[in-house]
């Protein structure tokens, strides 16, 4: 029998974050979301109550940073209803609640990437205005089914009190990215962005951005410097004549540098005249 509980502010924050991230591990929740509890066991008790009331569901799975399989959380049916009530919409697939997909580890990496950008932005008087998950960021911009962009997510960043925001299409590489996949992504992002204002307005309506985005970047983040160099080589292997038609800023960086200095000079502008020179966003 389902229990009913009164949700507090951190409970609702957790539900919304689960909607945006789909899967979140217990360490992340205790350290960054349910922070009002004096001890981990009390936060875990709260998670148990939220699960008994069908707001969330847990799975015990292997995860990086855990000595043994730990708790992975996602939304349950009542939690999806609450999110829809809170923000006026939900974009959820029931299969996420019933089975853990192979990409859950990749999602946990994304969670920490977004957190890292958010914390570093605050220290610099900047702000991560919004994180758009893949489910909302995917967009078919043409008539063909192949004419689709499918970023791992979209990060909207800018000065805290400004509408001059940048949209970052995030491509967080799982391991060693295949050259063909990298090139196809760039071709599609370029085709999408060069369509201009009308298509971007349609994308704005599709996603439902809370903040205006005035400029766009495509950002490939690799797990280490070696893989970053491979991404750069793969992109630069595009023949010169074809490359000249790519007008979008394509950036490459490695994950460790984003953790330390996300708003510093760590980005290769791959299609610039000096792709080896690192610059800021």
């Amino acid at each position: 029998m389902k229990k009913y509980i009164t949700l507090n502010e951190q409970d609702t924050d957790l539900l919304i974050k689960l909607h945006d991230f789909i899967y979140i591990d217990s360490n992340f929740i205790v350290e960054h979301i349910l922070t009002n509890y004096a001890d981990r066991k009390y936060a875990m008790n709260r998670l148990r109550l939220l699960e008994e009331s069908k707001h969330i569901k847990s799975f015990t799975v292997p995860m990086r940073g855990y000595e043994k399989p730990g708790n992975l959380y996602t939304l349950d049916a009542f939690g999806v209803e609450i999110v829809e009530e809170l923000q006026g919409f939900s974009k959820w697939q029931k299969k996420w609640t019933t089975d853990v997909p192979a990409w859950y580890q990749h999602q946990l990496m994304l969670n920490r990437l977004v957190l890292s950008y958010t914390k570093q932005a605050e220290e610099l008087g900047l702000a991560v205005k919004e994180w758009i998950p893949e489910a909302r960021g995917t967009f078919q911009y043409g008539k063909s089914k192949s004419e689709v962009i499918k970023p791992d997510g979209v990060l909207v960043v800018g000065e805290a009190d400004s509408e001059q925001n940048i949209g970052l299409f995030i491509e967080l590489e799982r391991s060693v990215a295949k050259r063909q996949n990298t090139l196809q992504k760039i071709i599609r992002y370029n085709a999408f962005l060069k369509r201009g204002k009308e298509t971007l307005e349609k994308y704005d309506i599709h996603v439902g951005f809370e903040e205006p985005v005035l400029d766009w970047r495509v950002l490939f983040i690799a797990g280490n410097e070696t893989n970053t160099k491979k991404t750069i080589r793969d992109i630069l292997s595009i023949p010169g004549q074809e490359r000249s038609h790519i007008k979008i800023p394509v950036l490459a960086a490695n994950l460790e540098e984003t953790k330390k200095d996300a708003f510093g000079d760590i980005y290769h502008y791959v299609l610039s005249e000096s792709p080896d020179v690192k610059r800021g966003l």
Side-chain angles (χ1 to χ4, degrees):
M1 182 177 178
K2 181 169 70 175
K3 292 184 178 180
Y4 288 89
I5 62 173
T6 300
L7 299 178
N8 59 43
E9 186 175 343
Q10 288 195 343
D11 294 335
T12 57
D13 184 37
L14 172 62
L15 297 182
I16 290 172
K17 281 186 168 60
L18 283 170
H19 178 263
D20 287 346
F21 292 130
I22 306 177
Y23 297 103
I24 306 179
D25 62 278
S26 59
N27 284 352
F28 189 100
I29 292 172
V30 171
E31 293 169 13
H32 305 295
I33 303 175
L34 299 186
T35 57
N36 287 344
Y37 298 90
D39 191 271
R40 178 185 177 88
K41 65 180 180 182
Y42 299 120
M44 296 303 293
N45 284 341
R46 186 63 181 177
L47 288 171
R48 179 178 52 78
L49 288 174
L50 288 168
E51 185 163 11
E52 289 175 353
S53 58
K54 302 297 182 183
H55 289 87
I56 63 176
K57 184 175 180 180
S58 69
F59 301 90
T60 303
V61 295
M63 292 180 283
R64 295 186 185 94
Y66 287 72
E67 293 182 0
K68 57 183 180 179
N71 286 358
L72 182 73
Y73 291 89
T74 190
L75 288 177
D76 207 341
F78 194 39
V80 176
E81 291 181 30
I82 294 296
V83 168
E84 188 161 352
E85 181 69 23
L86 288 169
Q87 60 184 23
F89 74 93
S90 66
K91 197 160 188 176
W92 193 258
Q93 297 183 32
K94 290 182 180 179
K95 64 182 181 181
W96 295 336
T97 300
T98 56
D99 295 296
V100 178
W103 46 262
Y104 76 92
Q105 294 272 22
H106 183 247
Q107 182 58 53
L108 300 185
M109 291 173 63
L110 278 168
N111 298 351
R112 284 167 171 76
L113 179 74
V114 175
L115 176 69
S116 180
Y117 271 83
T118 301
K119 287 194 168 186
Q120 292 181 64
E122 292 171 353
E123 293 171 1
L124 296 171
L126 302 171
V128 169
K129 307 290 184 70
E130 199 167 3
W131 166 253
I132 307 298
E134 180 183 310
R136 285 172 58 200
T138 297
F139 182 66
Q140 185 172 335
Y141 57 85
K143 294 180 179 179
S144 170
K145 289 184 178 180
S146 66
E147 293 178 305
V148 61
I149 58 169
K150 192 176 181 180
D152 290 328
V154 180
L155 204 63
V156 179
V157 300
E159 294 184 6
D161 298 319
S162 172
E163 293 188 349
Q164 307 292 314
N165 301 312
I166 296 172
L168 298 173
F169 291 113
I170 302 294
E171 294 289 345
L172 179 60
E173 304 304 328
R174 291 161 173 80
S175 54
V176 179
K178 295 294 184 182
R179 175 177 177 270
Q180 181 181 6
N181 291 343
T182 299
L183 300 189
Q184 284 299 316
K185 287 175 182 179
I186 291 174
I187 289 168
R188 289 171 182 173
Y189 282 123
N190 187 61
F192 163 65
L193 288 172
K194 77 177 185 181
R195 285 177 173 243
K197 184 178 178 181
E198 183 178 348
T199 298
L200 286 173
E201 287 176 348
K202 289 179 180 178
Y203 189 55
D204 185 14
I205 293 170
H206 169 79
V207 171
F209 287 106
E210 295 292 336
E211 299 282 347
V213 179
L214 301 186
D215 202 5
W216 293 94
R217 313 270 194 277
V218 178
L219 174 56
F220 289 88
I221 300 176
N224 54 54
E225 188 64 22
T226 299
N227 290 346
T228 299
K229 290 178 180 178
K230 181 185 183 304
T231 297
I232 294 171
R233 284 197 309 272
D234 289 346
I235 295 170
L236 293 178
S237 72
I238 300 172
Q241 186 173 358
E242 292 181 34
R243 203 190 311 163
S244 67
H245 296 298
I246 301 174
K247 303 299 184 183
I248 60 173
V250 178
L251 283 60
N254 75 66
L255 186 59
E256 288 306 313
E257 285 190 325
T258 64
K259 291 178 181 178
K260 297 174 183 176
D261 195 16
F263 295 92
D265 295 336
I266 66 168
Y267 301 98
H268 298 272
Y269 281 68
V270 184
L271 297 174
S272 70
E273 293 182 358
S274 305
D276 292 333
V277 178
K278 295 181 180 181
R279 295 151 51 190
L281 289 172

